[in-house]
């Protein structure tokens, strides 16, 4: 499904590439900033860190992919059976493979000052933006400032510095939108970790008390955005490639987001109204032009919303880096060329019972009854927390289902969910 070169054709670079990931960068960056209340989930962070495996789906066969830990061998066998072209894989930190950087073009997950300095000292070639732009644009606060400068519609609210500004802005928003939910955002953090939802007065008082305690322990004045939370009709995303002079829209997709702002999956080729596609395309190209003028080159992910009133807010967040959808672009292109416009990703988190092996699940997936002409299924991620298989382990399975139409895709996805329910056993 990923045999043909993709990044080589997109970028015009024929040199082999070296892929590596600092996928938990935002969590580390967020720890240096003012923090919002949230529940720590060490197991969840461990599962996320294993998603560096997804680099293999976008990499070309002659590339080298660095992973922090070895994937499950049964899962790798499954990928080979599914005709996934697996590039060379090495296990360890980038500092252990400095010699490889001299003959390859680096493709880091995200560029920051540390990565830029390392690459300048070890090869000096990479695909991606300069560190200053990557760090700036990954900030939700900087993103709002950029959108205001461009003249894009933004959520009602403002950037606030200090507790008094937060309280005052909340009061103003309550006056304009009585009873509406408000959301406070810090600059960095992903999958809902940079958000705090204010449903009523006590939520605000709890947040202000939490921030005040951080200030009293030596933290600086918090800088956050406070905005009205929109009731969303569609959570749109776009994948862009900014070359030297052009902005190419690689994909428009649609996310499934929980009410708390946590990502659960994507529709990789949603059926969007033509008028929405035209308006979205125009604004994405305008964004690309603005970023070009600032010196941006590389992949870019854009999160957007269409709210229940039909208002398109084209930029809620910028991911000036690779994303989970970016890694699936080559597979997406392959399925579209085969005539499968309906594609859906989904992640399932559950407890894996002792002794469970991935090969058992692979057998159940292989037995799903669906005509190859109508659709299909693919498990692109298998992650678990803990080395021992003789105890219950947190587990995440990431899947892709596709079909010639919505009904065929739905049947394929239902087959996957039934296979997961059988495999996971009685453990909840």
């Amino acid at each position: 499904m990923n045999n043909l070169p993709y990044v080589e054709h997109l970028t015009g670079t024929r040199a082999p590439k070296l892929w590596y990931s600092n996928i938990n960068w935002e969590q580390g960056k967020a720890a240096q900033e003012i923090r919002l209340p949230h529940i720590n989930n060490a197991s969840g962070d461990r599962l996320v860190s294993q998603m560096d495996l997804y680099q293999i789906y976008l990499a070309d066969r002659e590339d080298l992919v660095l992973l922090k830990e070895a994937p499950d061998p049964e899962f790798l066998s499954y990928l080979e059976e599914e005709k996934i072209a697996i590039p060379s894989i090495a296990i360890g930190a980038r500092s252990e493979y400095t010699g490889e950087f001299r003959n390859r073009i680096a493709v880091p997950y995200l560029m920051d000052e540390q990565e830029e300095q390392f690459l300048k000292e070890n090869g000096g070639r990479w695909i991606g933006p300069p560190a200053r732009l990557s760090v700036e644009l990954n900030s939700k606060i900087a993103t709002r400032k950029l959108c205001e400068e461009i003249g894009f519609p933004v959520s009602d609210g403002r950037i606030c510095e200090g507790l008094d500004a937060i309280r005052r802005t909340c009061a103003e928003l309550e006056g304009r939108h009585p009873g509406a939910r408000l959301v406070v955002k810090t600059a960095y953090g992903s999958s809902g970790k940079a958000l705090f939802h204010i449903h009523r007065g006590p939520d605000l008082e709890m947040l202000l008390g939490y921030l005040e305690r951080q200030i009293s322990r030596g933290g600086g004045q918090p800088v956050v955005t406070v905005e009205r939370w929109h009731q969303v009709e569609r959570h749109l995303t776009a994948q862009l490639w900014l070359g030297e002079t052009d902005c190419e829209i690689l994909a428009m997709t649609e996310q499934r987001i929980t009410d708390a702002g946590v990502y659960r999956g994507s529709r990789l080729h949603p059926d969007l109204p033509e008028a929405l596609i035209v308006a979205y395309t125009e604004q994405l190209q305008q964004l690309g032009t603005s970023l070009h003028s600032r010196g941006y080159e590389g992949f870019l992910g854009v999160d957007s919303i269409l709210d229940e009133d039909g208002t398109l807010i084209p930029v809620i967040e910028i991911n000036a880096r690779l994303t989970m959808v970016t890694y699936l672009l080559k597979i997406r292109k392959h399925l579209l060329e085969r005539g499968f416009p309906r594609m859906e990703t989904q992640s399932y988190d559950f407890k894996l019972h002792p002794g469970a092996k991935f090969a058992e699940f692979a057998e159940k997936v292989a037995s799903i009854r669906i005509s190859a002409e109508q659709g299909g299924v693919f498990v692109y991620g298998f992650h678990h927390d803990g080395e021992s298989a003789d105890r219950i382990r947190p587990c995440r399975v990431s899947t892709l289902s596709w079909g010639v139409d919505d009904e065929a895709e739905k049947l394929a996805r239902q087959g996957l969910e039934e296979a997961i329910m059988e495999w996971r056993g009685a453990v909840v």
Side-chain angles (χ1 to χ4, degrees), residues 158-318:
R158 64 167 56 116
I159 299 167
C160 300
E161 182 173 0
L163 304 186
D164 290 343
I166 294 172
R167 184 185 294 278
R168 186 167 57 252
T169 300
C170 286
E172 293 172 358
L173 289 172
E174 172 63 23
R176 290 196 292 271
H177 311 283
R181 188 200 315 188
L182 308 180
V183 61
V184 178
K185 301 178 183 179
T186 56
Y188 299 102
S190 60
S191 197
K193 292 182 179 179
L195 310 179
F196 182 80
H197 299 265
I198 298 175
H199 298 268
R200 52 197 180 278
D203 295 336
L204 173 59
E205 297 306 320
M206 189 273 278
L207 172 64
L208 294 175
Y210 184 87
L211 295 176
E212 190 168 16
R213 288 191 293 274
Q214 289 187 56
I215 295 171
S216 67
R217 291 194 293 267
Q221 287 293 319
V223 180
V224 300
T225 65
V226 180
E227 302 172 349
R228 176 174 74 91
W229 181 262
H230 290 252
Q231 294 301 314
V232 178
E233 181 70 23
R234 289 180 180 270
H235 289 277
L236 300 174
T237 61
Q239 296 291 320
L240 309 183
W241 168 256
L242 273 66
E244 291 183 1
T245 58
D246 62 326
C247 171
E248 184 174 349
I249 301 174
L250 303 175
M252 291 181 183
T253 61
E254 185 173 8
Q255 294 181 322
R256 287 192 307 282
I257 304 289
T258 69
D259 192 51
V262 179
Y263 172 77
R264 300 309 302 170
S266 293
R267 296 180 178 89
L268 297 185
H269 189 64
D271 187 12
L272 302 177
E274 184 62 27
L276 177 58
I277 293 175
V278 170
Y280 197 26
T281 298
E282 180 181 339
Q283 291 176 315
L284 290 172
Q285 290 289 355
Q286 186 179 347
L287 174 66
T289 299
S290 177
L291 295 183
H292 259 139
S293 70
R294 288 166 165 81
Y296 193 98
E297 290 186 28
F299 289 102
L300 187 82
V302 181
D303 293 349
S304 319
I305 63 171
L306 182 72
D307 74 9
E308 62 179 357
D309 297 326
T311 300
L312 174 63
I313 299 181
V315 183
I316 292 290
E317 184 174 329
I318 289 176

Side-chain angles (χ1 to χ4, degrees), residues 1-152:
M1 285 197 292
N2 65 332
N3 286 295
L4 297 177
Y6 183 89
V7 176
E8 176 184 307
H9 289 169
L10 186 66
T11 63
T13 58
R14 299 188 61 84
K17 299 171 289 298
L18 192 158
W19 301 71
Y20 70 99
S21 175
N22 51 347
I23 201 167
N24 281 325
W25 176 89
E26 283 184 305
Q27 280 84 343
K29 188 70 172 176
Q32 303 170 22
E33 308 285 333
I34 198 79
R35 296 183 301 279
L36 299 178
H38 72 273
I39 298 173
N40 289 319
N41 185 350
S43 292
D45 290 345
R46 170 83 188 279
L47 298 180
V48 168
S49 70
Q50 295 175 13
M51 291 181 186
D52 59 359
L53 175 69
Y54 299 169
Q55 297 172 109
I56 68 172
Y57 301 123
L58 192 58
D60 297 322
R61 188 182 286 276
E62 70 276 12
D63 293 350
L64 175 65
V65 174
L66 300 186
L67 303 179
K68 294 182 179 67
E69 56 186 278
D72 185 285
E74 293 183 355
F75 179 63
L76 283 181
S77 296
Y78 164 79
L79 295 182
E80 292 172 347
E81 291 172 1
E82 290 295 309
K83 304 296 190 295
I84 294 296
I86 300 177
S88 298
I89 293 176
I91 309 302
R94 58 166 170 56
S95 58
E96 300 175 54
Y97 297 91
T98 53
E100 294 287 348
F101 285 87
R102 298 188 184 94
N103 300 315
R104 297 176 182 270
I105 297 177
V107 192
Y109 168 77
L110 182 148
M111 181 65 74
D112 64 4
E113 294 89 346
Q114 182 181 22
E115 301 304 326
E116 188 172 81
Q117 184 62 33
F118 173 85
L119 290 174
K120 286 179 177 178
E121 295 171 354
N122 297 278
R125 296 186 299 166
W126 67 85
I127 293 174
R132 61 176 180 81
L133 277 176
S134 176
V135 173
E136 176 187 346
L137 294 172
N138 277 297
S139 162
K140 296 172 180 61
I141 293 172
T143 294
R144 183 178 177 99
K145 289 179 180 177
L146 173 66
C147 291
E148 291 173 346
E149 290 173 9
I150 294 175
F152 281 171

